[in-house]
Amino acid sequence: MKRILTIQDISCLGKCSITIALPVISALGVEAVILPTAVLSTHTMFDNWTCKDLSDQIEPITAHWKSEDVKFDAIYTGYLGTIEQIDQMKQLFKDFGGEDTLIFVDPAMGDKGKLYPAFDMAYAKKNAELCACADIIVPNITEAAFMTDMEYREEYDEAYVKEMLGRLNDLGAKVSILTGVSLEEGKTGVMGYERETGEYYLYQNDKVDAAYHGTGDLFSSTVIGEIMKGLDWRDAVRIAADHTAHTIEVTLENPAEPWYGVDFEATMPELIAAK
Ligand code: PXL
C-alpha cells in the first residue's frame, strides 16, 4: 500500500485540511500519515478561532520516524501556519525526500484575490520557496498571483494563465497546476504545465455557481491519492476536478453556509468508483 505523509493544520470544526485529507486519501486505498502543524478551534473563516501552534512537535515526531526508518511515497503539504514552519518543511523534504518520494505542495493561503486572515505578503513569498522544492504544485490563481508578482484578475485570457504557469514553472517544480481557471463562459477547471515535455493540459468542466470552503483541499487530496494509485497527473487532475465540481453540486442541496465546508462525505462512493 502506498503511504502519503500529509502536513497541515487540524481545524477541529469546519471541513478543511486534515479533516478532508485523511478520509479522502484513506477512501482511495492509500495510507495517510498525518503531521498536524497547529490545532484550531475552527478554520479561519469563522470569527474568534483559537490556535495552538505545534511547530515544536515537528522535530521530535520526525526524529522518531527517522529512527524507525520510515519512508513515504509522497509528502503532501497544505495549509501551514508560519514562515518558520515553511523552513521546517524544507528540512523535512530533505530528510524524507528522494527519488521515490513525490513532493506535492498545495500553498494554501488565499482565495478570491486575498490572503487568508493569518497570512501576509512575507508568508506568500516564503511559500514560493516551498514550491521551488516540490515535484508538483497546485496553487489557485490568487496564490499564484502572490507568489509570482502578477496582478490578480477576475477576468483574464489564456495568455494570462500561460504567463502565470510560466512564472510558476520558473519557481522550480516539475509540474505546475493552476486551479480555478475559467477560459470559457460557464466553465471552470484547471490548467497544468509540465516542464519536461513543455506541454500544457487544460481541463474544464461546467461551472457550478457556488463557492465552498475546503474545495481546494478536496481537489488536492484527490489528485495526490489518485497519483498514488498509479494514475498520470493529468488523469488524476481530471478525476479530481470532476469530483470537486460534483461535490459542490451536492453541497448546494444542503442549507449549511458556504464558508462552513463542502459535503465531501456525501460523494465518497462516487470518489471510490471514479475512473
Ligand atoms: O482550506 C484551507 C484552510 C485550511 N486550514 C485553515 C484555514 C483554511 C482556509 O481558510 O483557515 C485553518
Side-chain angles (χ1 to χ4, degrees), residues 19-59:
T19 58
I20 290 188
L22 187 49
V24 166
I25 291 169
S26 301
L28 289 171
V30 177
E31 180 183 350
V33 175
I34 60 165
L35 182 54
T37 53
V39 183
L40 290 86
S41 52
T42 64
H43 62 58
T44 61
M45 298 294 111
F46 283 78
D47 291 329
N48 305 320
W49 38 275
T50 68
C51 180
K52 170 73 178 161
D53 185 276
L54 296 177
S55 301
D56 66 355
Q57 293 303 302
I58 292 174
E59 201 282 321

Side-chain angles (χ1 to χ4, degrees), residues 186-235:
K187 301 267 180 196
T188 189
V190 289
M191 192 167 185
Y193 178 76
E194 184 172 64
R195 179 208 302 278
E196 195 182 314
T197 57
E199 280 173 16
Y200 292 96
Y201 174 70
L202 174 68
Y203 187 73
Q204 303 266 275
N205 40 29
D206 289 342
K207 188 172 188 156
V208 187
D209 205 13
Y212 285 96
H213 193 71
T215 48
D217 302 324
L218 177 60
F219 176 81
S220 293
S221 303
T222 307
V223 172
I224 189 64
E226 293 288 357
I227 290 175
M228 286 296 105
K229 277 169 60 184
L231 266 64
D232 176 73
W233 67 268
R234 297 163 191 82
D235 288 327

Side-chain angles (χ1 to χ4, degrees), residues 17 45 114 141 157 169 206 218 267:
S17 39
M45 298 294 111
K114 291 205 183 88
I141 293 188
D157 55 11
N169 177 58
D206 289 342
L218 177 60
T267 57

Side-chain angles (χ1 to χ4, degrees), residues 14-246:
K15 301 185 244 184
C16 69
S17 39
I18 279 182
T19 58
I20 290 188
L22 187 49
V24 166
I25 291 169
S26 301
L28 289 171
V30 177
E31 180 183 350
V33 175
I34 60 165
L35 182 54
T37 53
V39 183
L40 290 86
S41 52
T42 64
H43 62 58
T44 61
M45 298 294 111
F46 283 78
D47 291 329
N48 305 320
W49 38 275
T50 68
C51 180
K52 170 73 178 161
D53 185 276
L54 296 177
S55 301
D56 66 355
Q57 293 303 302
I58 292 174
E59 201 282 321
I61 291 173
T62 52
H64 180 208
W65 290 343
K66 265 273 153 218
S67 74
E68 295 284 336
D69 201 23
V70 176
K71 304 263 188 285
F72 301 108
D73 298 293
I75 302 175
Y76 155 32
T77 63
Y79 185 107
L80 304 170
T82 59
I83 286 181
E84 293 71 33
Q85 262 179 8
I86 294 182
D87 278 327
Q88 287 180 300
M89 291 309 109
K90 285 164 72 180
Q91 185 58 44
L92 188 147
F93 291 171
K94 283 191 192 131
D95 291 345
F96 291 92
E99 240 172 56
D100 299 329
T101 305
L102 185 90
I103 307 282
F104 184 93
V105 170
D106 180 354
M109 61 179 159
D111 205 6
K112 300 193 185 76
K114 291 205 183 88
L115 292 173
Y116 295 140
F119 302 134
D120 59 13
M121 200 55 213
Y123 183 83
K125 286 281 159 208
K126 194 73 189 174
N127 249 324
E129 284 180 26
L130 194 65
C131 287
C133 308
D135 294 303
I136 302 183
I137 58 173
V138 285
N140 61 30
I141 293 188
T142 300
E143 291 153 351
F146 278 105
M147 291 193 295
T148 60
D149 291 321
M150 278 180 72
E151 182 196 356
Y152 171 79
R153 291 203 211 142
E154 292 278 337
E155 281 177 23
Y156 48 79
D157 55 11
E158 192 175 311
Y160 173 82
V161 176
K162 285 193 167 167
E163 166 76 23
M164 204 167 241
L165 280 169
R167 292 196 195 194
L168 287 173
N169 177 58
D170 289 344
L171 294 179
K174 292 185 187 131
V175 176
S176 301
I177 299 165
L178 197 54
T179 66
V181 173
S182 173
L183 289 177
E184 232 180 283
E185 187 72 31
K187 301 267 180 196
T188 189
V190 289
M191 192 167 185
Y193 178 76
E194 184 172 64
R195 179 208 302 278
E196 195 182 314
T197 57
E199 280 173 16
Y200 292 96
Y201 174 70
L202 174 68
Y203 187 73
Q204 303 266 275
N205 40 29
D206 289 342
K207 188 172 188 156
V208 187
D209 205 13
Y212 285 96
H213 193 71
T215 48
D217 302 324
L218 177 60
F219 176 81
S220 293
S221 303
T222 307
V223 172
I224 189 64
E226 293 288 357
I227 290 175
M228 286 296 105
K229 277 169 60 184
L231 266 64
D232 176 73
W233 67 268
R234 297 163 191 82
D235 288 327
V237 158
R238 172 182 52 77
I239 289 176
D242 282 343
H243 182 67
T244 305
H246 171 59

